[in-house]
Amino acid sequence: MQHLVDRLVRPEILALTAYQVHDATGLIKLDAMENPYGLPEGLRQEWLEVLAGVDVNRYPDPRGTRLAQALRAALGIPADMALLLGNGSDEIIQMLCLTLARPGGKVLSVDPGFVMFRMIARFAGMDYVGVPLRADDFALDTAAVLAALERERPVLTFLAYPNNPTGNLFDAAALAEIIAAAPGLVVVDEAYAPFTDASFMARLGDWPNLLVMRTVSKMGLAGLRLGLLAGPHAWLDQIDKTRLPYNINVLTQVSAAFVLGHKARFDAQTRLIRQERTRLFAGLDALPGVQPYPSEANFILIRCAPGRADELFQALKARGILIKNLNGAHPLLADCLRVTVGTPEENDAFLAALKASL
Ligand SMILES: *Cc1c(COP(=O)(O)O)cnc(C)c1O
């Protein structure tokens, strides 16, 4: 059978490694940029009543009209821009690639960056071009990106703002220069928008090739799987054709619309996470043998002493804490670990375990 598999499956799929998710059973989970808080106090009962009224025998609203209204209000999407919903922003990346894939079509992003840009480009049969970030601070190498745009002529460019897994926010003027120079579509991925004050949302329309992508995952609703794309109707009308019918299930639609009606409660959680990010950074900065990088997201990238990342990752796990080991993921991430900002108690436990492991 393996012979048949090897013969029939596309070589680029055979060459991929499936996206890995670690089992976190029994561990403090600081590996996946989740909000550590559940539904805010008191909302759970009301939410269950909303769910009880759902007709699960019916297909969901294909356009998610009510949810779209709630998202527009909560996220400040310009009224003249169209909105497309996805089963997580991962599905939106897939729709974008399916819409623009053609023989020789290229996707460009920066490395180290969000792995799904590269993976989904491959799924869609596109070539992926990764332009290295600057080694010292993970800033955009603007000249290198501009040269790559000119040389590779990508149909699609993704830039995460702030970037994952590095956590930094690229220079807005550099990003603007790249959008202006790009021959194709540029998608600014604002998955970490709740944790920074910067955004390109209000600049939609300033360039004909700019789209902005968001998700509710990092603000505390990762389990719902809901992402969105905002931009000019001319683009989104086309991308919408690749969307599977009813891609946003009815439970997600009503739950997200309900929760967004209480957005102030989530904003309070976000403020807490931002405060904890400052405290966690200071705690890491004070430890000898690790160097934290400044972050505008809900996680912190840490550089360990040469050769120690794997061992520290395992030592933390043995002490009941799961973070992300990035050592080996990219040459610029050698000796790097990434920790998600948790509750104050979780962050204290992490810092104590790291100190003991060092
Ligand atoms: C987490 C993440 C996403 C994925 O979001 P989902 O909506 O959960 O699919 C997208 N982009 C970046 C940069 C991320 O870090």
Side-chain angles (χ1 to χ4, degrees):
M1 185 172 65
Q2 192 57 43
H3 170 71
L4 198 57
V5 170
D6 289 345
R7 189 157 60 79
L8 291 181
V9 174
R10 288 156 47 200
E12 63 270 33
I13 302 296
L14 286 173
L16 283 173
T17 312
Y19 188 82
Q20 295 288 330
V21 179
H22 262 84
D23 180 17
T25 312
L27 301 174
I28 295 181
K29 193 171 184 314
L30 300 176
D31 66 326
M33 282 80 85
E34 291 145 328
N35 175 335
Y37 303 103
L39 266 193
E41 199 63 34
L43 285 187
R44 196 167 280 265
Q45 195 53 43
E46 214 183 313
W47 171 57
L48 287 177
E49 281 158 26
V50 171
L51 287 181
V54 168
D55 293 323
V56 289
N57 54 319
R58 300 292 179 196
Y59 281 112
D61 173 356
R63 313 222 136 258
T65 315
R66 240 201 93 221
L67 173 56
Q69 280 167 0
L71 285 165
R72 280 184 178 280
L75 304 184
I77 297 162
D80 58 337
M81 291 295 151
L83 183 59
L84 177 76
L85 306 185
N87 191 332
S89 35
D90 290 344
E91 193 192 31
I92 293 175
I93 300 169
Q94 180 174 275
M95 286 186 242
L96 284 158
C97 288
L98 289 176
T99 304
L100 298 178
R102 58 175 72 205
K106 290 176 181 171
V107 170
L108 183 142
S109 189
V110 290
D111 283 340
F114 186 46
V115 291
M116 295 314 292
F117 300 150
R118 185 181 63 231
M119 284 194 78
I120 295 173
R122 298 259 163 84
F123 299 166
M126 303 173 89
D127 290 331
Y128 175 82
V129 179
V131 181
L133 293 171
R134 289 204 329 221
D136 50 342
D137 58 359
F138 299 115
L140 276 177
D141 184 342
T142 313
V145 176
L146 293 174
L149 289 172
E150 183 61 35
R151 187 178 64 242
E152 311 283 352
R153 313 296 295 170
V155 293
L156 186 54
T157 295
F158 288 105
L159 289 163
Y161 184 76
N163 190 45
N164 171 17
T166 57
N168 58 316
L169 190 69
F170 297 138
D171 179 65
L175 212 55
E177 205 181 334
I178 288 166
I179 298 165
L185 195 54
V186 178
V187 178
V188 175
D189 178 356
E190 299 189 341
Y192 298 97
F195 310 102
T196 182
D197 299 322
S199 172
F200 272 70
M201 189 67 90
R203 303 186 72 178
L204 281 172
D206 287 4
W207 300 272
N209 59 336
L210 171 66
L211 303 179
V212 171
M213 189 166 69
R214 293 273 185 97
T215 175
V216 301
S217 293
K218 279 51 189 242
M219 69 167 266
L221 301 172
L224 292 185
R225 308 305 299 131
L226 177 66
L228 60 118
L229 185 67
H233 287 268
W235 284 115
L236 269 61
D237 288 351
Q238 299 303 322
I239 299 160
D240 190 51
K241 295 176 184 173
T242 68
R243 187 174 58 82
L244 295 177
Y246 315 116
N247 62 327
I248 311 298
N249 77 72
V250 67
L251 298 179
T252 293
Q253 288 196 26
V254 299
S255 300
F258 167 74
V259 162
L260 288 167
H262 300 273
K263 182 151 178 299
R265 309 288 294 277
F266 281 84
D267 292 344
Q269 293 183 343
T270 300
R271 276 195 298 278
L272 225 72
I273 293 167
R274 287 171 76 154
Q275 282 167 20
E276 275 300 298
R277 174 178 69 195
T278 305
R279 199 176 68 85
L280 182 57
F281 184 93
L284 286 164
D285 208 29
L287 288 180
V290 292
Q291 176 206 353
Y293 287 89
S295 169
E296 287 282 303
N298 64 341
F299 60 86
I300 295 177
L301 184 73
I302 307 162
R303 177 98 56 188
C304 310
R308 294 216 54 197
D310 294 350
E311 164 205 338
L312 284 172
F313 171 78
Q314 290 303 344
L316 286 165
K317 205 169 161 192
R319 290 171 191 273
I321 293 165
L322 181 65
I323 63 169
K324 179 84 174 174
N325 184 3
L326 292 168
N327 183 41
H330 185 274
L332 292 180
L333 295 174
D335 309 310
C336 284
L337 302 172
R338 185 190 65 196
V339 62
T340 304
V341 180
T343 63
E345 298 73 31
E346 288 173 339
N347 299 330
D348 284 341
F350 163 72
L351 283 170
L354 181 60
K355 197 170 176 181
S357 307
L358 282 165

